[in-house]
Amino acid sequence: LGNSLYAMDLSEGNRFLGLEIGQGTIQGNTAGVNGFYNHEGEDMEIGIRLGAQNEDWRAMLVFSFLSSKEDNQDYEKGLLEFDYYILTTDFDTGYFRPYIGLNAGWMGYESKGDTTVPAISEGSFIYGGQAGIIVGLMDTFDIDLMYRYSLVNSDAISDSQSFLIGINYLY
């Protein structure tokens, strides 16, 4: 990782700062010893991202969170993501780049519980993959449409899924 980031040309236009927003889903096990995943929460997921890219791949750090008031589940994720551009199509006003990638990081999870289930609060290792399309609209902005799926190394959580749209400022 260090060598890859060091070798990458970080000249103007290859670094970016962005925002992402979309639908996040968490599959939780609030049944305790019953051992089945019975608590699925959905709500808006919001995140920030910082990264670098070239014509073949990108790497980024992502911090995102979801707070599902309807079913009392929250999470915060910190991820390191690597994406490989399957195809790069340049045109006069921008570019089009479908990609696949891997992610790994840490997730903090909290289920506030109620009268029938206990409250849960824990942190876990998270890992998975993503796929999407980046459309470059101008020299300084691109739009990212992404699906991210991550497994969670936890007794209380099975997985996390997100459908996201992101906007990146290239500098």
Side-chain angles (χ1 to χ4, degrees), residues 1 19 33 79-80 102 104 115 138 149 156 158 161-162 171:
L1 168 65
L19 298 172
V33 296
L79 296 171
L80 177 59
L102 300 172
T115 57
M138 295 181 268
Y149 179 82
S158 170
Q161 300 178 53
S162 306
Y171 61 97

mmCIF file of all heavy atoms in Angstrom, residues 1 19 33 79-80 102 104 115 138 149 156 158 161-162 171:
data_model
loop_
_atom_site.group_PDB
_atom_site.id
_atom_site.type_symbol
_atom_site.label_atom_id
_atom_site.label_comp_id
_atom_site.label_asym_id
_atom_site.label_seq_id
_atom_site.Cartn_x
_atom_site.Cartn_y
_atom_site.Cartn_z
ATOM 1 N N LEU A 1 0.833 -1.192 0.000
ATOM 2 C CA LEU A 1 0.000 0.000 0.000
ATOM 3 C C LEU A 1 0.872 1.247 0.000
ATOM 4 O O LEU A 1 0.660 2.143 -0.797
ATOM 5 C CB LEU A 1 -0.931 -0.016 1.199
ATOM 6 C CG LEU A 1 -1.658 1.301 1.504
ATOM 7 C CD1 LEU A 1 -2.615 1.640 0.379
ATOM 8 C CD2 LEU A 1 -2.392 1.189 2.803
ATOM 9 N N LEU A 19 -17.929 13.669 -1.201
ATOM 10 C CA LEU A 19 -19.061 13.342 -0.339
ATOM 11 C C LEU A 19 -19.835 12.211 -0.981
ATOM 12 O O LEU A 19 -19.895 12.109 -2.207
ATOM 13 C CB LEU A 19 -19.982 14.551 -0.178
ATOM 14 C CG LEU A 19 -19.395 15.784 0.461
ATOM 15 C CD1 LEU A 19 -20.385 16.942 0.363
ATOM 16 C CD2 LEU A 19 -19.054 15.513 1.916
ATOM 17 N N VAL A 33 -28.799 -15.062 22.103
ATOM 18 C CA VAL A 33 -28.384 -16.454 21.986
ATOM 19 C C VAL A 33 -29.170 -17.234 20.941
ATOM 20 O O VAL A 33 -28.800 -18.349 20.593
ATOM 21 C CB VAL A 33 -28.497 -17.187 23.348
ATOM 22 C CG1 VAL A 33 -27.531 -16.580 24.344
ATOM 23 C CG2 VAL A 33 -29.918 -17.149 23.867
ATOM 24 N N LEU A 79 -13.250 3.077 6.273
ATOM 25 C CA LEU A 79 -12.814 2.088 5.288
ATOM 26 C C LEU A 79 -11.629 2.588 4.475
ATOM 27 O O LEU A 79 -11.515 3.783 4.191
ATOM 28 C CB LEU A 79 -13.948 1.768 4.304
ATOM 29 C CG LEU A 79 -15.197 1.118 4.849
ATOM 30 C CD1 LEU A 79 -16.273 1.087 3.783
ATOM 31 C CD2 LEU A 79 -14.886 -0.285 5.341
ATOM 32 N N LEU A 80 -10.797 1.651 4.083
ATOM 33 C CA LEU A 80 -9.768 1.873 3.077
ATOM 34 C C LEU A 80 -10.229 1.096 1.853
ATOM 35 O O LEU A 80 -10.500 -0.103 1.950
ATOM 36 C CB LEU A 80 -8.414 1.365 3.569
ATOM 37 C CG LEU A 80 -7.251 1.478 2.593
ATOM 38 C CD1 LEU A 80 -7.013 2.925 2.189
ATOM 39 C CD2 LEU A 80 -6.003 0.886 3.205
ATOM 40 N N LEU A 102 -12.088 -3.517 -3.625
ATOM 41 C CA LEU A 102 -12.098 -4.155 -2.308
ATOM 42 C C LEU A 102 -12.082 -3.095 -1.228
ATOM 43 O O LEU A 102 -11.535 -2.004 -1.425
ATOM 44 C CB LEU A 102 -10.871 -5.060 -2.149
ATOM 45 C CG LEU A 102 -10.734 -6.196 -3.140
ATOM 46 C CD1 LEU A 102 -9.376 -6.876 -2.978
ATOM 47 C CD2 LEU A 102 -11.858 -7.198 -2.965
ATOM 48 N N ALA A 104 -11.758 -2.599 3.301
ATOM 49 C CA ALA A 104 -11.505 -3.163 4.632
ATOM 50 C C ALA A 104 -11.424 -2.006 5.615
ATOM 51 O O ALA A 104 -11.022 -0.896 5.255
ATOM 52 C CB ALA A 104 -10.211 -3.970 4.656
ATOM 53 N N THR A 115 -37.816 -3.239 25.034
ATOM 54 C CA THR A 115 -38.242 -4.117 26.136
ATOM 55 C C THR A 115 -38.053 -5.599 25.820
ATOM 56 O O THR A 115 -37.975 -6.411 26.731
ATOM 57 C CB THR A 115 -39.724 -3.872 26.471
ATOM 58 O OG1 THR A 115 -40.509 -4.084 25.294
ATOM 59 C CG2 THR A 115 -39.937 -2.453 26.977
ATOM 60 N N MET A 138 -16.324 17.365 -15.594
ATOM 61 C CA MET A 138 -15.471 18.524 -15.822
ATOM 62 C C MET A 138 -14.061 18.144 -15.382
ATOM 63 O O MET A 138 -13.838 17.061 -14.876
ATOM 64 C CB MET A 138 -15.963 19.712 -14.995
ATOM 65 C CG MET A 138 -17.328 20.211 -15.384
ATOM 66 S SD MET A 138 -17.817 21.626 -14.388
ATOM 67 C CE MET A 138 -18.672 20.816 -13.064
ATOM 68 N N TYR A 149 -20.732 -3.740 -0.640
ATOM 69 C CA TYR A 149 -21.186 -4.828 0.224
ATOM 70 C C TYR A 149 -20.025 -5.201 1.139
ATOM 71 O O TYR A 149 -18.910 -5.419 0.667
ATOM 72 C CB TYR A 149 -21.592 -6.053 -0.604
ATOM 73 C CG TYR A 149 -22.057 -7.209 0.249
ATOM 74 C CD1 TYR A 149 -23.363 -7.241 0.719
ATOM 75 C CD2 TYR A 149 -21.202 -8.232 0.595
ATOM 76 C CE1 TYR A 149 -23.809 -8.283 1.512
ATOM 77 C CE2 TYR A 149 -21.630 -9.286 1.384
ATOM 78 C CZ TYR A 149 -22.933 -9.311 1.834
ATOM 79 O OH TYR A 149 -23.370 -10.341 2.630
ATOM 80 N N ALA A 156 -22.969 -9.797 16.449
ATOM 81 C CA ALA A 156 -24.184 -8.983 16.428
ATOM 82 C C ALA A 156 -24.569 -8.510 15.033
ATOM 83 O O ALA A 156 -25.688 -8.091 14.817
ATOM 84 C CB ALA A 156 -24.017 -7.775 17.337
ATOM 85 N N SER A 158 -24.261 -9.183 10.645
ATOM 86 C CA SER A 158 -23.915 -10.054 9.534
ATOM 87 C C SER A 158 -23.223 -9.278 8.422
ATOM 88 O O SER A 158 -22.125 -9.609 8.014
ATOM 89 C CB SER A 158 -25.174 -10.724 8.982
ATOM 90 O OG SER A 158 -24.909 -11.380 7.770
ATOM 91 N N GLN A 161 -24.785 -3.157 3.505
ATOM 92 C CA GLN A 161 -24.894 -2.900 2.076
ATOM 93 C C GLN A 161 -25.227 -1.434 1.861
ATOM 94 O O GLN A 161 -25.968 -0.845 2.650
ATOM 95 C CB GLN A 161 -26.005 -3.739 1.460
ATOM 96 C CG GLN A 161 -25.799 -5.219 1.616
ATOM 97 C CD GLN A 161 -26.958 -5.985 1.016
ATOM 98 O OE1 GLN A 161 -27.312 -5.769 -0.136
ATOM 99 N NE2 GLN A 161 -27.556 -6.863 1.803
ATOM 100 N N SER A 162 -24.704 -0.868 0.773
ATOM 101 C CA SER A 162 -24.962 0.542 0.483
ATOM 102 C C SER A 162 -25.073 0.759 -1.020
ATOM 103 O O SER A 162 -24.270 0.235 -1.787
ATOM 104 C CB SER A 162 -23.815 1.414 0.998
ATOM 105 O OG SER A 162 -23.559 1.182 2.354
ATOM 106 N N TYR A 171 -8.355 17.766 -7.271
ATOM 107 C CA TYR A 171 -7.420 18.886 -7.132
ATOM 108 C C TYR A 171 -5.996 18.428 -7.330
ATOM 109 O O TYR A 171 -5.694 17.284 -7.365
ATOM 110 C CB TYR A 171 -7.574 19.584 -5.783
ATOM 111 C CG TYR A 171 -7.318 18.722 -4.581
ATOM 112 C CD1 TYR A 171 -6.081 18.745 -3.957
ATOM 113 C CD2 TYR A 171 -8.301 17.879 -4.074
ATOM 114 C CE1 TYR A 171 -5.844 17.963 -2.840
ATOM 115 C CE2 TYR A 171 -8.069 17.102 -2.962
ATOM 116 C CZ TYR A 171 -6.839 17.140 -2.347
ATOM 117 O OH TYR A 171 -6.606 16.363 -1.239
#
